[in-house]
Amino acid sequence: MKLRGVIALALALLCAPAFAQTNPGTSPLSGAKGGTNNAFMQFTGPSSSIKTYTLPDASGTIDLLNQAQTFTAAKTFAGGLSVIVNQNAATIIDLRNTTSGTGALASLAVTNNLDLSAFGLAGSGYTGLPQIANRAYIHSGAANNGIILDAGGVKPIDFYINNARAGGFTSAGLSVDSLAGGSGANSTTFWRGDGTWATPSGGGGSGAWSNTRLAKSAAYTAVTGDCGDTIALGGSAFYTLTLSAASGYATACTFVIVNEDSTRGKTLAINGYSNFILWPLQSVIVFNQNNVWRCGGRGSGGCGPQRWVLPANTTMYIDVTNGSNSNDGLASGSGNALASFQQAYDNAADRIDFNSKILTFSVANGTYTSGINSQKGLIACVYLCLVFDGNAGSPSSVLVSTTSASAFTWFQTGGQMSVAFKNMKVTTTTSGDCFWVSSTGVYVAGYNLIIGPCAHVGIRAYNNAEFDMLSNFTIAGAFGQGSFAYANAGAVIAWQGLTVTLSGAPSWASAFVLANGGQILIQSNTWSGSATGPRYNAVNLGLVDTGTGASGCSALPGNAGGATSAGGVCN
């Protein structure tokens, strides 16, 4: 029985539930009770009440807090909390998500990248560095040295040494002051491998043509950094490109200047030369030769205008009120139109290759106190290649009125020219003819003109020149010292089948028409109005041809008969 009791007690103990040790002791905690069967582990805990700690439902190893941690999965820290690692060592990581900490990122020593894009951190407590909110700081430990990271700033990374910015990265890349402090850096230099800024030997500001396109659409002064560029002028506007003294540019500076506009010119103001116009689609090479600008393709090597080959019939503008003779004339109004007939004709004679096309100058209303006095012909000019056109509805609104000078004169041009005047009034006072054309190859035509009064002659033609009236016209006022029409030495003046209005009591001292070795061909016209003075004079084989013989001669304007001598004829 005694043996049976011992066996029953042993079985009861083996089958009873395991209970944790509730009182601290020195004996080992058995494995059955979650222990390790040794005496080298001990827990200390709350003293006032029971606390519950939840362990993961998985096997694992518990790391010590004062040793390096290796995380094998992502860790999430609640907002407002900090992660401070190795706080008292020389190299620390201090990541704070509050504005009350002493710094966002004090110092960093890592072998791999650290992504700071998710941190919105305050910068404070770093002596010598700019204290700006929402920046991250990498601090070397010295008071005035560090790196500031600012993803939203103009300069996202700044390097500070001794409390001064020593470089960094801008939004466009490495900042210039990061390399030798930027000393020697400008638009014409580059960073060399030996750690210095240097000027290149060719292109991009040095001189040699690099064909780098530099587009401009308004007035511009080229700088030495532009040397080697192709300056492309556009904008469909008239403006000035200026090249200052060549000594202020690279010694081998070269520009290729192209007017890309098809309808507007550009003024080139090149130091050492008179300004000139680069006409539509023209180009020029300008280079520095011993501190003097030279232009390629010119016989003299100098710089000046090139003839514009007209691509098609073209209209230019003259405006005595709003124009300027420095304009290109290729548009109307202020800043565009020319101001005078003389400048218009000089441009046509000196700067235009007519290329068998027609150039028309539209003349604005106003009083023009000068006309044209020229000895220049026109290049590649066909019949009436140049036209000056006023106001068709009111010709007198475009008034050319000169004093002590002829209004329009071509004398010994040495070349062909063929010009038409339309829809305007021409007058002179004191002295001068209204029109005077002279020399072979000079041809002028008139349409809807009002001529007079003229101090001398209305139309004078010498030496095989010709003047024709091609539409009805008006003769107005007195022709004090001569005739309305005077043809000399093989010249021809003609109008046929027109209505000629006599206005303002015209008068002439010599004769209405005077043919002195020239021809005046005036057949089948209608005369409206009356005049005072002799009707005709034909001398030295001159011819006045009315087409109707003596009756036609006697019907010419005037109140006195005519005369013939030395082989002159009126019929």
Side-chain angles (χ1 to χ4, degrees):
M1 289 297 293
K2 188 176 183 178
L3 177 59
R4 288 178 185 161
V6 173
I7 293 173
L9 178 61
L11 290 174
L13 291 173
L14 290 173
C15 296
F19 294 98
Q21 186 171 325
T22 59
N23 295 314
T26 58
S27 62
L29 186 64
S30 66
K33 296 182 178 181
T36 58
N37 293 315
N38 62 53
F40 301 105
M41 181 180 72
Q42 185 175 33
F43 290 92
T44 62
S47 60
S48 60
S49 62
I50 296 175
K51 301 296 187 294
T52 300
Y53 301 95
T54 302
L55 297 176
D57 188 14
S59 298
T61 301
I62 298 175
D63 288 328
L64 297 178
L65 297 178
N66 63 349
Q67 293 186 2
Q69 305 296 311
T70 300
F71 294 100
T72 59
K75 303 299 179 184
T76 300
F77 298 92
L81 300 181
S82 300
V83 177
I84 303 175
V85 181
N86 208 8
Q87 173 68 35
N88 295 320
T91 300
I92 64 173
I93 297 178
D94 181 355
L95 303 180
R96 300 171 183 267
N97 199 24
T98 71
T99 58
S100 60
T102 59
L105 181 59
S107 183
L108 176 65
V110 294
T111 57
N112 296 316
N113 295 329
L114 177 63
D115 184 356
L116 299 177
S117 61
F119 293 94
L121 306 172
S124 61
Y126 294 101
T127 304
L129 297 181
Q131 302 303 301
I132 303 174
N134 298 321
R135 285 194 173 187
Y137 290 76
I138 301 175
H139 194 226
S140 67
N144 300 321
N145 301 331
I147 301 174
I148 301 175
L149 308 177
D150 181 8
V154 175
K155 295 179 178 180
I157 301 179
D158 295 317
F159 303 120
Y160 276 81
I161 299 176
N162 294 328
N163 201 26
R165 188 177 185 276
F169 288 85
T170 70
S171 58
L174 183 66
S175 63
V176 170
D177 59 357
S178 300
L179 305 174
S183 177
N186 57 52
S187 60
T188 69
T189 58
F190 70 101
W191 180 251
R192 298 195 334 182
D194 61 357
T196 60
W197 291 97
T199 300
S201 60
S206 68
W209 185 43
S210 64
N211 199 25
T212 300
R213 187 173 186 270
L214 176 64
K216 296 297 173 183
S217 58
Y220 180 70
T221 298
V223 298
T224 191
D226 301 329
C227 291
D229 289 351
T230 295
I231 304 179
L233 306 178
S236 298
F238 179 69
Y239 53 87
T240 299
L241 172 68
T242 300
L243 303 186
S244 303
S247 58
Y249 296 77
T251 56
C253 185
T254 300
F255 295 109
V256 174
I257 304 171
V258 180
N259 182 0
E260 294 184 342
D261 280 344
S262 61
T263 59
R264 296 307 304 268
K266 308 290 181 280
T267 294
L268 297 189
I270 301 176
N271 181 266
Y273 301 93
S274 298
N275 292 1
F276 63 93
I277 293 176
L278 194 67
W279 296 102
L281 304 180
Q282 287 188 333
S283 62
V284 63
I285 300 173
V286 184
F287 59 93
N288 187 350
Q289 176 63 42
N290 196 26
N291 287 335
V292 176
W293 291 119
R294 301 292 185 185
C295 288
R298 310 298 177 87
S300 64
C303 298
Q306 309 171 66
R307 287 191 181 274
W308 179 29
V309 179
L310 291 183
N313 294 344
T314 301
T315 298
M316 292 186 173
Y317 298 84
I318 305 172
D319 188 333
V320 68
T321 302
N322 301 303
S324 167
N325 286 334
S326 62
N327 292 335
D328 66 347
L330 282 168
S332 62
S334 178
N336 302 306
L338 299 172
S340 71
F341 283 87
Q342 187 68 56
Q343 187 63 55
Y345 188 81
D346 287 345
N347 283 359
D350 296 336
R351 304 177 183 180
I352 302 295
D353 180 334
F354 280 79
N355 191 31
S356 300
K357 303 300 189 297
I358 308 300
L359 174 60
T360 298
F361 281 98
S362 177
V363 185
N365 291 349
T367 298
Y368 297 80
T369 57
S370 65
I372 298 170
N373 188 334
S374 181
Q375 293 180 276
K376 303 171 183 177
L378 304 174
I379 301 300
C381 176
V382 295
Y383 178 70
L384 298 181
C385 67
L386 180 60
V387 178
F388 293 92
D389 191 4
N391 187 330
S394 178
S396 61
S397 295
V398 178
L399 174 62
V400 182
S401 178
T402 64
T403 300
S404 300
S406 295
F408 296 103
T409 301
W410 284 269
F411 183 77
Q412 301 295 340
T413 61
Q416 301 288 322
M417 54 83 65
S418 184
V419 180
F421 290 88
K422 298 181 176 182
N423 307 311
M424 63 186 68
K425 180 177 181 178
V426 182
T427 183
T428 66
T429 58
T430 308
S431 64
D433 299 331
C434 284
F435 290 93
W436 185 7
V437 295
S438 178
S439 76
T440 301
V442 173
Y443 178 77
V444 176
Y447 297 80
N448 193 29
L449 297 180
I450 302 172
I451 300 177
C454 303
H456 285 170
V457 175
I459 302 171
R460 186 192 300 267
Y462 278 16
N463 302 322
N464 302 309
E466 182 172 353
F467 190 111
D468 291 346
M469 298 296 293
L470 299 180
S471 76
N472 299 338
F473 65 98
T474 296
I475 300 172
F479 299 83
Q481 300 181 27
S483 306
F484 172 73
Y486 180 12
N488 178 276
V492 175
I493 299 174
W495 63 88
Q496 293 94 23
L498 305 180
T499 295
V500 181
T501 300
L502 306 172
S503 175
S507 62
W508 30 80
S510 177
F512 171 55
V513 290
L514 172 58
N516 183 5
Q519 301 180 58
I520 298 178
L521 311 177
I522 47 176
Q523 301 95 348
S524 305
N525 296 292
T526 299
W527 313 102
S528 176
S530 61
T532 301
R535 292 182 173 89
Y536 62 89
N537 191 355
V539 299
N540 297 322
L541 302 178
L543 171 63
V544 176
D545 185 0
T546 68
T548 56
S551 62
C553 294
S554 62
L556 294 174
N559 63 352
T564 61
S565 63
V569 175
C570 180
N571 59 29

